[in-house]
């Protein structure tokens, strides 16, 4: 994924970020992850968050309109990791076993699963689901178009919806599978979608 995609750009590179602003946002993201390790997102308050981050309340609102926006930003890397894990193979892909990076991706979600559940609703909706849909679909569409595969837009949409839906349902306990098992299962589904058109 390019920087433009990650930042929601439209093709022009974003201006370099002010290092102080970047450090402040990094402190706020880290503080949120620490808070959410102790309590659900809906119980996290701005006052406790800024105290943990060592910044003022006004500074928080300079960077984020609310806690949900911060939470999505804090979890944005999971979207990048998902896109990378789904494309972490070379040569002819194994139709049964997922690339190791995909199983590692699912295992890496476990420590912050409660936060991801708050942002990614069953079925793949929610604020994090919207980011996942945008970035994964764009990547999948670009790769299929580059390969000259038929029905690129249709398959990109199907792949994205399948991945986001299964990921969300697994996080919410609707699917009983280990990280390795769900990685293989979703890989088989996605492989079938790619072969179907």
């Amino acid at each position: 994924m390019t920087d433009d995609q990650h930042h929601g750009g439209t093709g022009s590179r974003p201006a370099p970020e002010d290092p102080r602003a970047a450090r402040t946002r990094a402190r706020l993201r880290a503080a949120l992850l620490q808070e959410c390790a102790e309590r659900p997102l809906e119980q996290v308050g701005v006052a406790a968050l800024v105290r943990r981050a060592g910044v003022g309340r006004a500074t928080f609102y300079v960077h984020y309109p609310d806690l949900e926006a911060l939470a999505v930003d804090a979890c944005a890397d999971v979207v990048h990791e998902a896109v990378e894990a789904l494309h972490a193979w070379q040569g002819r892909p194994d139709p049964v076993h997922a690339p190791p990076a995909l199983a590692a991706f699912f295992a890496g979600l476990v420590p912050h699963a409660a936060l991801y559940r708050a942002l990614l609703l069953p079925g793949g909706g929610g604020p994090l689901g919207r980011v996942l849909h945008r970035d994964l679909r764009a990547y999948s569409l670009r790769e299929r178009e580059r390969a000259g595969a038929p029905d690129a837009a249709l398959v990109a949409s199907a792949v994205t919806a399948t991945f986001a839906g299964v990921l969300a349902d697994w996080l919410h306990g609707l699917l009983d599978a280990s990280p390795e098992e769900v990685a293989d299962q979703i890989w088989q589904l996605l492989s079938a979608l790619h072969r179907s058109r």
Side-chain angles (χ1 to χ4, degrees):
M1 182 166 55
T2 67
D3 286 342
D4 292 335
Q5 286 175 293
H6 191 66
H7 295 287
T10 56
S12 61
R13 242 197 196 317
E17 188 174 28
D18 172 32
R20 287 181 303 171
R23 283 194 299 272
T24 298
R25 279 194 286 276
R27 287 167 67 180
L28 288 166
R29 289 192 298 266
L32 181 77
L33 293 175
Q34 291 165 359
E35 286 287 317
C36 287
E38 299 171 5
R39 61 187 58 82
L41 177 61
E42 61 269 18
Q43 293 179 13
V44 174
V46 173
L49 176 79
V50 297
R51 192 164 46 248
R52 187 184 286 263
V55 302
R57 191 180 185 97
T59 300
F60 170 82
Y61 288 109
V62 165
H63 296 283
Y64 298 101
D66 52 35
L67 280 171
E68 183 180 279
L70 168 60
V72 171
D73 190 31
C75 295
D77 281 347
V78 80
V79 174
H80 179 260
E81 290 163 10
V83 172
E84 293 300 316
L86 281 169
H87 297 87
W89 51 270
Q90 295 178 342
R92 189 174 182 84
D94 182 334
V96 176
H97 300 292
L102 189 57
F105 164 76
F106 278 97
L109 297 176
V110 174
H112 298 293
L115 177 58
Y116 299 136
R117 283 194 295 270
L119 300 171
L120 185 61
L121 304 179
L128 190 59
R130 288 190 291 273
V131 177
L132 178 60
H133 182 272
R134 180 196 69 204
D135 291 356
L136 180 55
R137 187 181 186 281
Y139 193 110
S140 181
L141 178 60
R142 187 173 64 250
E143 291 299 301
R144 287 191 68 81
E145 287 177 339
R146 184 178 294 156
D151 298 313
L154 175 65
V155 175
S157 290
V159 163
T160 303
T162 299
F163 182 79
V166 171
L167 168 61
D169 287 0
W170 178 74
L171 283 168
H172 283 274
L174 301 176
L175 299 172
D176 184 19
S178 69
E180 295 77 15
E181 289 168 341
V182 76
D184 285 345
Q185 290 163 358
I186 203 166
W187 183 253
Q188 291 162 22
L189 287 171
L190 298 183
S191 296
L193 280 172
H194 280 290
R195 290 194 306 270
S196 68
R197 302 299 298 182

